[in-house]
Amino acid sequence: MKSMKRGAAVLLSGAFALAVLCLWLYVPGFQAGVTELYTSIAGYFTDMFDTETVDGISGETGSDAEMPSGGGTGTPIDSGDLDTLEDSDITGEDYVVDTSRCPYYSFLTEDGQSVYQQVCANIEALETTFVPTAEISVSQMQDVMEAVFGDHPEYFWIETSYGYRYTSEEICVQLVLYFNSASEDLESARAQFDAVVDEIISGAESLDSDYEKEKYVHDAILEIAEYDESVSDSLSQSAYSALVMGRTVCAGYARAFQYIMTELGIETFYVTGYASADHAWNIVGLSDGYYNVDLTWDDSVTVAYTYFNIPDSVFSQTHTRTGLSTQLPACTATEYYNPETSQDAGQVPERFRPEDQSSGDSSGGTQEPQMGEILEPDTDEGGTSQPSQPDTPDTDASAPSQPESQAPDTGQNNLPDSGSMPSGTGPTASPETEGRGGSSAGMKR
């Protein structure tokens, strides 16, 4: 009897497997449906076990946070289901792009620029799902999303992860945007964000040169924000996390700096790349050209200027651009580069080094940056550039001097009182994170 039951079970299992195989091979849309169901279930359990609440705001954490910013999760779709796709009907044709503030927009194809406008219009309308107005490939769509995230730090309520559906020809036929919890009470979040931005801009506007304003903004952000990998990942990639929450990662520092500097009329770009891990920093345009600035790596016990206004010749020892960032201008200017305060700029800060390389003191200088002549770095016997690592950079007669006309007092007394800085914890709502079949993408360093 038992053997008969086992035999019947085997036959039923085989029949079921054969039926599923037939459905998989011959029924249109069955594969996509199974894939979507599996992704939804996986997303549900990921959100259940991999979330945290920071300052009353919920978001993802964990290994997915190490993905590069702008990561998308795609789902294949059968051609027979194209007519059923949800669409917000917002085309973005009336959206106006300020090309002076949006360099990444210029790197796109004409069709890509059309979809870029549509993405921005849907973000502003808080619409999550739409069909692209132009036919673009998956790779083109990924460039579009990278461009939007690179050009628009003011969209702090959008997550840098997204979903999309695509055909067997690798054509993107639908985009799905995800909004973080700041979007739950966007009016309040904007008020808190704008209050901090206005405070910093008010202090910077009284200064004479773009260099002084740049240093003021650099210092003000580092006074407000601290590096914290545990911050809610759905918000950590935003300027909001740095300026309002006061806890952020590299993307938050870089977007906050980009936004405020751009509001001051100083050309500033958001840059992504690799620097011991996926990383984000800035490029700033001053009177003589472009410089690299890395606020994350300058945020030490005291405000440092080790990675402040560094040319590519030094910066490239630790930082490598990737993606569309490779098309941003080269940083070859030197007038506002001070080797005395940046002697460790060619090295990774100790806390960001791989564990097997973490040794010694690499905190960098903490004195104010000064403009002066360019000093040749020390070299070893093989001729390889080896920046020296003094415990405390000394300022003596040999240090590059700063002409009096270009060296106004830009010390901490110019900073807004950190106690008077508008502060907050963001929207108090803590909605559960929806399962979305995608992973939250972000950069921690």
Side-chain angles (χ1 to χ4, degrees):
M1 180 64 71
K2 289 183 179 180
S3 61
M4 293 178 63
K5 289 182 178 179
R6 280 196 292 269
V10 170
L11 289 174
L12 287 173
S13 299
F16 178 76
L18 181 62
V20 170
L21 178 62
C22 291
L23 289 171
W24 183 270
L25 294 175
Y26 301 110
V27 176
F30 185 76
Q31 295 181 27
V34 171
T35 301
E36 185 173 359
L37 176 62
Y38 171 80
T39 304
S40 298
I41 293 172
Y44 172 79
F45 284 104
T46 297
D47 289 338
M48 176 182 293
F49 295 111
D50 202 24
T51 62
E52 69 167 7
T53 299
V54 177
D55 289 340
I57 299 174
S58 177
E60 292 80 19
T61 60
S63 59
D64 286 342
E66 298 301 326
M67 292 175 60
S69 181
T73 299
T75 303
I77 186 171
D78 188 85
S79 58
D81 295 328
L82 293 177
D83 292 337
T84 66
L85 291 174
E86 182 181 350
D87 187 6
S88 69
D89 294 324
I90 297 178
T91 64
E93 59 184 359
D94 296 326
Y95 181 89
V96 178
V97 178
D98 183 351
T99 54
S100 66
R101 299 170 63 111
C102 301
Y104 286 96
Y105 174 81
S106 65
F107 303 153
L108 302 174
T109 64
E110 184 175 346
D111 286 341
Q113 290 178 347
S114 175
V115 176
Y116 173 108
Q117 294 173 251
Q118 186 182 15
V119 171
C120 292
N122 278 273
I123 290 174
E124 293 188 353
L126 295 178
E127 290 287 346
T128 61
T129 309
F130 57 94
V131 174
T133 55
E135 182 176 295
I136 59 171
S137 66
V138 168
S139 63
Q140 288 176 312
M141 179 275 301
Q142 291 168 342
D143 284 345
V144 168
M145 298 306 292
E146 182 182 351
V148 170
F149 296 141
D151 281 340
H152 295 281
E154 71 274 20
Y155 294 156
F156 58 79
W157 58 93
I158 185 73
E159 291 194 19
T160 54
S161 58
Y162 57 90
Y164 61 92
R165 291 191 174 184
Y166 62 96
T167 66
S168 57
E169 291 81 21
E170 294 286 311
I171 299 299
C172 177
V173 292
Q174 187 183 54
L175 273 166
V176 181
L177 306 177
Y178 308 131
F179 299 105
N180 60 45
S181 53
S183 65
E184 295 296 313
D185 188 356
L186 188 53
E187 183 177 354
S188 173
R190 275 177 168 156
Q192 295 178 74
F193 182 79
D194 290 344
V196 181
V197 170
D198 292 346
E199 183 99 17
I200 298 175
I201 288 177
S202 177
E205 283 179 332
S206 63
L207 303 173
D208 294 330
S209 69
D210 285 352
Y211 167 77
E212 293 175 274
K213 294 174 182 177
E214 176 202 14
K215 180 181 178 296
Y216 182 93
V217 175
H218 170 277
D219 293 358
I221 292 173
L222 295 187
E223 288 291 334
I224 296 170
E226 64 176 318
Y227 184 85
D228 185 355
E229 288 189 5
S230 67
V231 70
S232 166
D233 192 64
S234 64
L235 280 156
S236 69
Q237 305 297 303
S238 69
Y240 184 93
S241 66
L243 298 178
V244 180
M245 298 173 67
R247 288 183 286 165
T248 192
V249 293
C250 62
Y253 284 107
R255 288 192 168 105
F257 188 69
Q258 173 195 16
Y259 180 66
I260 296 174
M261 290 286 286
T262 303
E263 288 292 290
L264 286 166
I266 302 172
E267 195 174 23
T268 304
F269 309 135
Y270 177 83
V271 187
T272 57
Y274 188 86
S276 80
D278 293 322
H279 192 44
W281 62 93
N282 297 103
I283 289 175
V284 175
L286 298 178
S287 58
D288 66 324
Y290 295 98
Y291 295 86
N292 295 286
V293 179
D294 190 338
L295 270 72
T296 307
W297 284 16
D298 269 352
D299 193 4
S300 57
V301 176
T302 58
V303 174
Y305 304 96
T306 309
Y307 305 94
F308 183 77
N309 289 352
I310 311 298
D312 285 340
S313 58
V314 176
F315 209 68
S316 61
Q317 296 177 43
T318 52
H319 294 66
T320 303
R321 301 188 207 175
T322 57
L324 296 180
S325 293
T326 59
Q327 300 184 51
L328 293 171
C331 297
T332 58
T334 56
E335 181 180 350
Y336 298 95
Y337 164 52
N338 181 22
E340 280 297 305
T341 58
S342 302
Q343 293 184 61
D344 291 336
Q347 300 194 32
V348 178
E350 186 170 4
R351 65 176 172 174
F352 294 133
R353 296 180 191 177
E355 290 184 6
D356 58 349
Q357 297 181 19
S358 295
S359 62
D361 179 11
S362 62
S363 58
T366 57
Q367 65 195 69
E368 289 187 15
Q370 297 180 347
M371 295 171 287
E373 62 186 78
I374 306 306
L375 303 182
E376 293 296 328
D378 296 335
T379 57
D380 60 16
E381 293 180 358
T384 303
S385 175
Q386 298 290 338
S388 58
Q389 299 181 49
D391 292 334
T392 304
D394 298 325
T395 304
D396 55 23
S398 65
S401 60
Q402 182 168 340
E404 185 175 344
S405 61
Q406 297 181 10
D409 181 9
T410 57
Q412 296 295 330
N413 57 311
N414 285 332
L415 283 175
D417 181 357
S418 60
S420 66
M421 274 290 181
S423 61
T425 59
T428 56
S430 302
E432 294 183 2
T433 305
E434 298 179 0
R436 56 177 180 265
S439 53
S440 180
M443 291 185 290
K444 289 295 188 186
R445 299 180 185 175

PDB file of all heavy atoms in Angstrom, residues 370-403:
ATOM      1  N   GLN A 370      45.289  77.642   2.097  1.00  0.00           N
ATOM      2  CA  GLN A 370      45.834  78.897   1.605  1.00  0.00           C
ATOM      3  C   GLN A 370      46.240  78.725   0.161  1.00  0.00           C
ATOM      4  O   GLN A 370      46.612  77.646  -0.283  1.00  0.00           O
ATOM      5  CB  GLN A 370      47.055  79.314   2.435  1.00  0.00           C
ATOM      6  CG  GLN A 370      46.726  79.592   3.898  1.00  0.00           C
ATOM      7  CD  GLN A 370      47.961  79.988   4.671  1.00  0.00           C
ATOM      8  OE1 GLN A 370      49.077  79.819   4.186  1.00  0.00           O
ATOM      9  NE2 GLN A 370      47.777  80.520   5.860  1.00  0.00           N
ATOM     10  N   MET A 371      46.193  79.829  -0.578  1.00  0.00           N
ATOM     11  CA  MET A 371      46.591  79.786  -1.969  1.00  0.00           C
ATOM     12  C   MET A 371      48.080  80.068  -2.065  1.00  0.00           C
ATOM     13  O   MET A 371      48.621  80.903  -1.350  1.00  0.00           O
ATOM     14  CB  MET A 371      45.815  80.813  -2.777  1.00  0.00           C
ATOM     15  CG  MET A 371      44.320  80.530  -2.830  1.00  0.00           C
ATOM     16  SD  MET A 371      43.406  81.867  -3.555  1.00  0.00           S
ATOM     17  CE  MET A 371      43.485  83.097  -2.244  1.00  0.00           C
ATOM     18  N   GLY A 372      48.781  79.395  -2.949  1.00  0.00           N
ATOM     19  CA  GLY A 372      50.205  79.652  -3.072  1.00  0.00           C
ATOM     20  C   GLY A 372      50.829  78.829  -4.162  1.00  0.00           C
ATOM     21  O   GLY A 372      50.165  78.184  -4.955  1.00  0.00           O
ATOM     22  N   GLU A 373      52.153  78.825  -4.183  1.00  0.00           N
ATOM     23  CA  GLU A 373      52.870  78.106  -5.220  1.00  0.00           C
ATOM     24  C   GLU A 373      52.695  76.608  -5.044  1.00  0.00           C
ATOM     25  O   GLU A 373      52.417  76.117  -3.948  1.00  0.00           O
ATOM     26  CB  GLU A 373      54.355  78.460  -5.151  1.00  0.00           C
ATOM     27  CG  GLU A 373      55.007  78.057  -3.833  1.00  0.00           C
ATOM     28  CD  GLU A 373      56.417  78.546  -3.733  1.00  0.00           C
ATOM     29  OE1 GLU A 373      56.624  79.736  -3.448  1.00  0.00           O
ATOM     30  OE2 GLU A 373      57.315  77.720  -3.957  1.00  0.00           O
ATOM     31  N   ILE A 374      52.876  75.886  -6.125  1.00  0.00           N
ATOM     32  CA  ILE A 374      52.728  74.440  -6.097  1.00  0.00           C
ATOM     33  C   ILE A 374      54.054  73.806  -5.699  1.00  0.00           C
ATOM     34  O   ILE A 374      55.096  74.089  -6.287  1.00  0.00           O
ATOM     35  CB  ILE A 374      52.290  73.907  -7.473  1.00  0.00           C
ATOM     36  CG1 ILE A 374      51.033  74.645  -7.935  1.00  0.00           C
ATOM     37  CG2 ILE A 374      52.059  72.414  -7.419  1.00  0.00           C
ATOM     38  CD1 ILE A 374      49.916  74.611  -6.939  1.00  0.00           C
ATOM     39  N   LEU A 375      54.031  72.954  -4.702  1.00  0.00           N
ATOM     40  CA  LEU A 375      55.233  72.285  -4.241  1.00  0.00           C
ATOM     41  C   LEU A 375      55.315  70.900  -4.848  1.00  0.00           C
ATOM     42  O   LEU A 375      54.312  70.223  -5.008  1.00  0.00           O
ATOM     43  CB  LEU A 375      55.215  72.173  -2.706  1.00  0.00           C
ATOM     44  CG  LEU A 375      55.087  73.503  -1.944  1.00  0.00           C
ATOM     45  CD1 LEU A 375      55.129  73.227  -0.454  1.00  0.00           C
ATOM     46  CD2 LEU A 375      56.199  74.461  -2.327  1.00  0.00           C
ATOM     47  N   GLU A 376      56.502  70.487  -5.182  1.00  0.00           N
ATOM     48  CA  GLU A 376      56.690  69.148  -5.714  1.00  0.00           C
ATOM     49  C   GLU A 376      56.567  68.129  -4.592  1.00  0.00           C
ATOM     50  O   GLU A 376      57.190  68.288  -3.538  1.00  0.00           O
ATOM     51  CB  GLU A 376      58.078  69.017  -6.363  1.00  0.00           C
ATOM     52  CG  GLU A 376      58.242  69.857  -7.617  1.00  0.00           C
ATOM     53  CD  GLU A 376      57.308  69.405  -8.706  1.00  0.00           C
ATOM     54  OE1 GLU A 376      57.008  68.193  -8.768  1.00  0.00           O
ATOM     55  OE2 GLU A 376      56.860  70.254  -9.480  1.00  0.00           O
ATOM     56  N   PRO A 377      55.784  67.063  -4.767  1.00  0.00           N
ATOM     57  CA  PRO A 377      55.673  66.042  -3.717  1.00  0.00           C
ATOM     58  C   PRO A 377      56.977  65.286  -3.565  1.00  0.00           C
ATOM     59  O   PRO A 377      57.779  65.206  -4.490  1.00  0.00           O
ATOM     60  CB  PRO A 377      54.558  65.123  -4.230  1.00  0.00           C
ATOM     61  CG  PRO A 377      54.556  65.311  -5.704  1.00  0.00           C
ATOM     62  CD  PRO A 377      54.964  66.744  -5.927  1.00  0.00           C
ATOM     63  N   ASP A 378      57.183  64.721  -2.355  1.00  0.00           N
ATOM     64  CA  ASP A 378      58.358  63.900  -2.126  1.00  0.00           C
ATOM     65  C   ASP A 378      58.303  62.672  -3.006  1.00  0.00           C
ATOM     66  O   ASP A 378      57.240  62.165  -3.344  1.00  0.00           O
ATOM     67  CB  ASP A 378      58.410  63.454  -0.655  1.00  0.00           C
ATOM     68  CG  ASP A 378      58.569  64.646   0.275  1.00  0.00           C
ATOM     69  OD1 ASP A 378      59.091  65.666  -0.192  1.00  0.00           O
ATOM     70  OD2 ASP A 378      58.152  64.534   1.445  1.00  0.00           O
ATOM     71  N   THR A 379      59.462  62.144  -3.366  1.00  0.00           N
ATOM     72  CA  THR A 379      59.507  60.920  -4.157  1.00  0.00           C
ATOM     73  C   THR A 379      60.428  59.933  -3.488  1.00  0.00           C
ATOM     74  O   THR A 379      61.369  60.293  -2.791  1.00  0.00           O
ATOM     75  CB  THR A 379      60.021  61.186  -5.593  1.00  0.00           C
ATOM     76  OG1 THR A 379      61.312  61.795  -5.500  1.00  0.00           O
ATOM     77  CG2 THR A 379      59.081  62.117  -6.334  1.00  0.00           C
ATOM     78  N   ASP A 380      60.128  58.653  -3.705  1.00  0.00           N
ATOM     79  CA  ASP A 380      60.999  57.627  -3.158  1.00  0.00           C
ATOM     80  C   ASP A 380      62.118  57.336  -4.143  1.00  0.00           C
ATOM     81  O   ASP A 380      62.243  57.969  -5.178  1.00  0.00           O
ATOM     82  CB  ASP A 380      60.204  56.364  -2.807  1.00  0.00           C
ATOM     83  CG  ASP A 380      59.510  55.781  -4.033  1.00  0.00           C
ATOM     84  OD1 ASP A 380      59.889  56.161  -5.156  1.00  0.00           O
ATOM     85  OD2 ASP A 380      58.597  54.945  -3.849  1.00  0.00           O
ATOM     86  N   GLU A 381      62.913  56.325  -3.862  1.00  0.00           N
ATOM     87  CA  GLU A 381      64.061  56.050  -4.712  1.00  0.00           C
ATOM     88  C   GLU A 381      63.656  55.653  -6.112  1.00  0.00           C
ATOM     89  O   GLU A 381      64.383  55.865  -7.058  1.00  0.00           O
ATOM     90  CB  GLU A 381      64.912  54.935  -4.084  1.00  0.00           C
ATOM     91  CG  GLU A 381      65.566  55.373  -2.765  1.00  0.00           C
ATOM     92  CD  GLU A 381      66.381  54.259  -2.168  1.00  0.00           C
ATOM     93  OE1 GLU A 381      66.391  53.153  -2.761  1.00  0.00           O
ATOM     94  OE2 GLU A 381      67.015  54.466  -1.123  1.00  0.00           O
ATOM     95  N   GLY A 382      62.463  55.084  -6.227  1.00  0.00           N
ATOM     96  CA  GLY A 382      62.017  54.663  -7.548  1.00  0.00           C
ATOM     97  C   GLY A 382      61.360  55.777  -8.324  1.00  0.00           C
ATOM     98  O   GLY A 382      60.921  55.582  -9.439  1.00  0.00           O
ATOM     99  N   GLY A 383      61.255  56.950  -7.726  1.00  0.00           N
ATOM    100  CA  GLY A 383      60.673  58.077  -8.422  1.00  0.00           C
ATOM    101  C   GLY A 383      59.180  58.161  -8.311  1.00  0.00           C
ATOM    102  O   GLY A 383      58.557  59.004  -8.908  1.00  0.00           O
ATOM    103  N   THR A 384      58.532  57.261  -7.532  1.00  0.00           N
ATOM    104  CA  THR A 384      57.080  57.282  -7.392  1.00  0.00           C
ATOM    105  C   THR A 384      56.673  58.341  -6.391  1.00  0.00           C
ATOM    106  O   THR A 384      57.248  58.452  -5.328  1.00  0.00           O
ATOM    107  CB  THR A 384      56.568  55.915  -6.913  1.00  0.00           C
ATOM    108  OG1 THR A 384      57.000  54.921  -7.823  1.00  0.00           O
ATOM    109  CG2 THR A 384      55.050  55.903  -6.831  1.00  0.00           C
ATOM    110  N   SER A 385      55.679  59.104  -6.737  1.00  0.00           N
ATOM    111  CA  SER A 385      55.237  60.172  -5.848  1.00  0.00           C
ATOM    112  C   SER A 385      54.721  59.604  -4.546  1.00  0.00           C
ATOM    113  O   SER A 385      53.873  58.733  -4.526  1.00  0.00           O
ATOM    114  CB  SER A 385      54.127  60.985  -6.532  1.00  0.00           C
ATOM    115  OG  SER A 385      53.613  61.934  -5.659  1.00  0.00           O
ATOM    116  N   GLN A 386      55.267  60.085  -3.417  1.00  0.00           N
ATOM    117  CA  GLN A 386      54.851  59.635  -2.094  1.00  0.00           C
ATOM    118  C   GLN A 386      54.600  60.848  -1.211  1.00  0.00           C
ATOM    119  O   GLN A 386      55.534  61.390  -0.631  1.00  0.00           O
ATOM    120  CB  GLN A 386      55.955  58.766  -1.457  1.00  0.00           C
ATOM    121  CG  GLN A 386      56.258  57.489  -2.228  1.00  0.00           C
ATOM    122  CD  GLN A 386      55.123  56.511  -2.128  1.00  0.00           C
ATOM    123  OE1 GLN A 386      54.325  56.574  -1.206  1.00  0.00           O
ATOM    124  NE2 GLN A 386      55.039  55.595  -3.076  1.00  0.00           N
ATOM    125  N   PRO A 387      53.364  61.350  -1.163  1.00  0.00           N
ATOM    126  CA  PRO A 387      53.090  62.505  -0.319  1.00  0.00           C
ATOM    127  C   PRO A 387      53.484  62.215   1.120  1.00  0.00           C
ATOM    128  O   PRO A 387      53.222  61.144   1.639  1.00  0.00           O
ATOM    129  CB  PRO A 387      51.566  62.691  -0.451  1.00  0.00           C
ATOM    130  CG  PRO A 387      51.215  61.983  -1.708  1.00  0.00           C
ATOM    131  CD  PRO A 387      52.199  60.865  -1.845  1.00  0.00           C
ATOM    132  N   SER A 388      54.132  63.200   1.766  1.00  0.00           N
ATOM    133  CA  SER A 388      54.564  63.018   3.140  1.00  0.00           C
ATOM    134  C   SER A 388      53.387  63.051   4.085  1.00  0.00           C
ATOM    135  O   SER A 388      52.321  63.557   3.759  1.00  0.00           O
ATOM    136  CB  SER A 388      55.555  64.117   3.532  1.00  0.00           C
ATOM    137  OG  SER A 388      54.960  65.388   3.359  1.00  0.00           O
ATOM    138  N   GLN A 389      53.550  62.524   5.297  1.00  0.00           N
ATOM    139  CA  GLN A 389      52.463  62.403   6.247  1.00  0.00           C
ATOM    140  C   GLN A 389      52.872  62.946   7.606  1.00  0.00           C
ATOM    141  O   GLN A 389      53.081  62.201   8.554  1.00  0.00           O
ATOM    142  CB  GLN A 389      52.044  60.947   6.417  1.00  0.00           C
ATOM    143  CG  GLN A 389      51.546  60.321   5.128  1.00  0.00           C
ATOM    144  CD  GLN A 389      51.123  58.912   5.371  1.00  0.00           C
ATOM    145  OE1 GLN A 389      50.381  58.613   6.287  1.00  0.00           O
ATOM    146  NE2 GLN A 389      51.595  57.996   4.558  1.00  0.00           N
ATOM    147  N   PRO A 390      53.034  64.243   7.754  1.00  0.00           N
ATOM    148  CA  PRO A 390      53.362  64.769   9.074  1.00  0.00           C
ATOM    149  C   PRO A 390      52.196  64.591  10.010  1.00  0.00           C
ATOM    150  O   PRO A 390      51.049  64.598   9.597  1.00  0.00           O
ATOM    151  CB  PRO A 390      53.623  66.267   8.801  1.00  0.00           C
ATOM    152  CG  PRO A 390      52.810  66.544   7.576  1.00  0.00           C
ATOM    153  CD  PRO A 390      52.836  65.280   6.762  1.00  0.00           C
ATOM    154  N   ASP A 391      52.502  64.414  11.313  1.00  0.00           N
ATOM    155  CA  ASP A 391      51.442  64.277  12.296  1.00  0.00           C
ATOM    156  C   ASP A 391      50.574  65.519  12.312  1.00  0.00           C
ATOM    157  O   ASP A 391      49.373  65.456  12.381  1.00  0.00           O
ATOM    158  CB  ASP A 391      52.024  64.040  13.691  1.00  0.00           C
ATOM    159  CG  ASP A 391      52.691  62.675  13.786  1.00  0.00           C
ATOM    160  OD1 ASP A 391      52.277  61.792  13.013  1.00  0.00           O
ATOM    161  OD2 ASP A 391      53.603  62.520  14.610  1.00  0.00           O
ATOM    162  N   THR A 392      51.197  66.679  12.273  1.00  0.00           N
ATOM    163  CA  THR A 392      50.467  67.937  12.217  1.00  0.00           C
ATOM    164  C   THR A 392      51.156  68.847  11.226  1.00  0.00           C
ATOM    165  O   THR A 392      52.317  69.185  11.404  1.00  0.00           O
ATOM    166  CB  THR A 392      50.435  68.633  13.586  1.00  0.00           C
ATOM    167  OG1 THR A 392      49.884  67.749  14.531  1.00  0.00           O
ATOM    168  CG2 THR A 392      49.616  69.914  13.511  1.00  0.00           C
ATOM    169  N   PRO A 393      50.511  69.220  10.133  1.00  0.00           N
ATOM    170  CA  PRO A 393      51.173  70.060   9.152  1.00  0.00           C
ATOM    171  C   PRO A 393      51.584  71.385   9.782  1.00  0.00           C
ATOM    172  O   PRO A 393      50.789  72.052  10.427  1.00  0.00           O
ATOM    173  CB  PRO A 393      50.124  70.253   8.060  1.00  0.00           C
ATOM    174  CG  PRO A 393      48.866  69.714   8.579  1.00  0.00           C
ATOM    175  CD  PRO A 393      49.155  68.899   9.791  1.00  0.00           C
ATOM    176  N   ASP A 394      52.848  71.741   9.601  1.00  0.00           N
ATOM    177  CA  ASP A 394      53.354  72.977  10.170  1.00  0.00           C
ATOM    178  C   ASP A 394      53.222  74.113   9.161  1.00  0.00           C
ATOM    179  O   ASP A 394      53.374  73.931   7.966  1.00  0.00           O
ATOM    180  CB  ASP A 394      54.834  72.842  10.550  1.00  0.00           C
ATOM    181  CG  ASP A 394      55.033  71.779  11.621  1.00  0.00           C
ATOM    182  OD1 ASP A 394      54.139  71.667  12.489  1.00  0.00           O
ATOM    183  OD2 ASP A 394      56.062  71.067  11.580  1.00  0.00           O
ATOM    184  N   THR A 395      52.940  75.260   9.663  1.00  0.00           N
ATOM    185  CA  THR A 395      52.892  76.449   8.830  1.00  0.00           C
ATOM    186  C   THR A 395      54.081  77.312   9.208  1.00  0.00           C
ATOM    187  O   THR A 395      54.135  77.869  10.300  1.00  0.00           O
ATOM    188  CB  THR A 395      51.595  77.234   9.055  1.00  0.00           C
ATOM    189  OG1 THR A 395      50.504  76.366   8.812  1.00  0.00           O
ATOM    190  CG2 THR A 395      51.518  78.432   8.140  1.00  0.00           C
ATOM    191  N   ASP A 396      55.063  77.384   8.324  1.00  0.00           N
ATOM    192  CA  ASP A 396      56.240  78.177   8.627  1.00  0.00           C
ATOM    193  C   ASP A 396      56.567  79.065   7.447  1.00  0.00           C
ATOM    194  O   ASP A 396      55.786  79.228   6.527  1.00  0.00           O
ATOM    195  CB  ASP A 396      57.421  77.265   8.983  1.00  0.00           C
ATOM    196  CG  ASP A 396      57.685  76.245   7.887  1.00  0.00           C
ATOM    197  OD1 ASP A 396      57.282  76.524   6.756  1.00  0.00           O
ATOM    198  OD2 ASP A 396      58.302  75.194   8.172  1.00  0.00           O
ATOM    199  N   ALA A 397      57.774  79.592   7.485  1.00  0.00           N
ATOM    200  CA  ALA A 397      58.144  80.535   6.429  1.00  0.00           C
ATOM    201  C   ALA A 397      58.196  79.876   5.079  1.00  0.00           C
ATOM    202  O   ALA A 397      58.084  80.546   4.053  1.00  0.00           O
ATOM    203  CB  ALA A 397      59.509  81.154   6.764  1.00  0.00           C
ATOM    204  N   SER A 398      58.372  78.556   5.047  1.00  0.00           N
ATOM    205  CA  SER A 398      58.447  77.865   3.762  1.00  0.00           C
ATOM    206  C   SER A 398      57.094  77.536   3.182  1.00  0.00           C
ATOM    207  O   SER A 398      56.984  77.112   2.057  1.00  0.00           O
ATOM    208  CB  SER A 398      59.263  76.580   3.923  1.00  0.00           C
ATOM    209  OG  SER A 398      58.585  75.682   4.782  1.00  0.00           O
ATOM    210  N   ALA A 399      56.047  77.686   3.987  1.00  0.00           N
ATOM    211  CA  ALA A 399      54.708  77.370   3.496  1.00  0.00           C
ATOM    212  C   ALA A 399      54.282  78.378   2.463  1.00  0.00           C
ATOM    213  O   ALA A 399      54.637  79.546   2.523  1.00  0.00           O
ATOM    214  CB  ALA A 399      53.717  77.386   4.658  1.00  0.00           C
ATOM    215  N   PRO A 400      53.490  77.951   1.465  1.00  0.00           N
ATOM    216  CA  PRO A 400      53.050  78.894   0.438  1.00  0.00           C
ATOM    217  C   PRO A 400      52.230  79.996   1.067  1.00  0.00           C
ATOM    218  O   PRO A 400      51.356  79.761   1.875  1.00  0.00           O
ATOM    219  CB  PRO A 400      52.206  78.030  -0.519  1.00  0.00           C
ATOM    220  CG  PRO A 400      51.923  76.790   0.237  1.00  0.00           C
ATOM    221  CD  PRO A 400      52.989  76.624   1.257  1.00  0.00           C
ATOM    222  N   SER A 401      52.528  81.185   0.694  1.00  0.00           N
ATOM    223  CA  SER A 401      51.826  82.332   1.273  1.00  0.00           C
ATOM    224  C   SER A 401      50.584  82.659   0.492  1.00  0.00           C
ATOM    225  O   SER A 401      50.465  82.318  -0.673  1.00  0.00           O
ATOM    226  CB  SER A 401      52.758  83.558   1.303  1.00  0.00           C
ATOM    227  OG  SER A 401      53.162  83.894  -0.005  1.00  0.00           O
ATOM    228  N   GLN A 402      49.664  83.338   1.118  1.00  0.00           N
ATOM    229  CA  GLN A 402      48.418  83.737   0.481  1.00  0.00           C
ATOM    230  C   GLN A 402      48.407  85.255   0.379  1.00  0.00           C
ATOM    231  O   GLN A 402      48.509  85.955   1.378  1.00  0.00           O
ATOM    232  CB  GLN A 402      47.225  83.278   1.309  1.00  0.00           C
ATOM    233  CG  GLN A 402      45.898  83.615   0.663  1.00  0.00           C
ATOM    234  CD  GLN A 402      44.781  82.892   1.367  1.00  0.00           C
ATOM    235  OE1 GLN A 402      45.005  81.924   2.041  1.00  0.00           O
ATOM    236  NE2 GLN A 402      43.574  83.369   1.216  1.00  0.00           N
ATOM    237  N   PRO A 403      48.347  85.784  -0.824  1.00  0.00           N
ATOM    238  CA  PRO A 403      48.350  87.237  -0.966  1.00  0.00           C
ATOM    239  C   PRO A 403      47.252  87.847  -0.126  1.00  0.00           C
ATOM    240  O   PRO A 403      46.137  87.350  -0.072  1.00  0.00           O
ATOM    241  CB  PRO A 403      48.086  87.425  -2.476  1.00  0.00           C
ATOM    242  CG  PRO A 403      48.497  86.133  -3.098  1.00  0.00           C
ATOM    243  CD  PRO A 403      48.247  85.086  -2.077  1.00  0.00           C
TER     244      PRO A 403
END
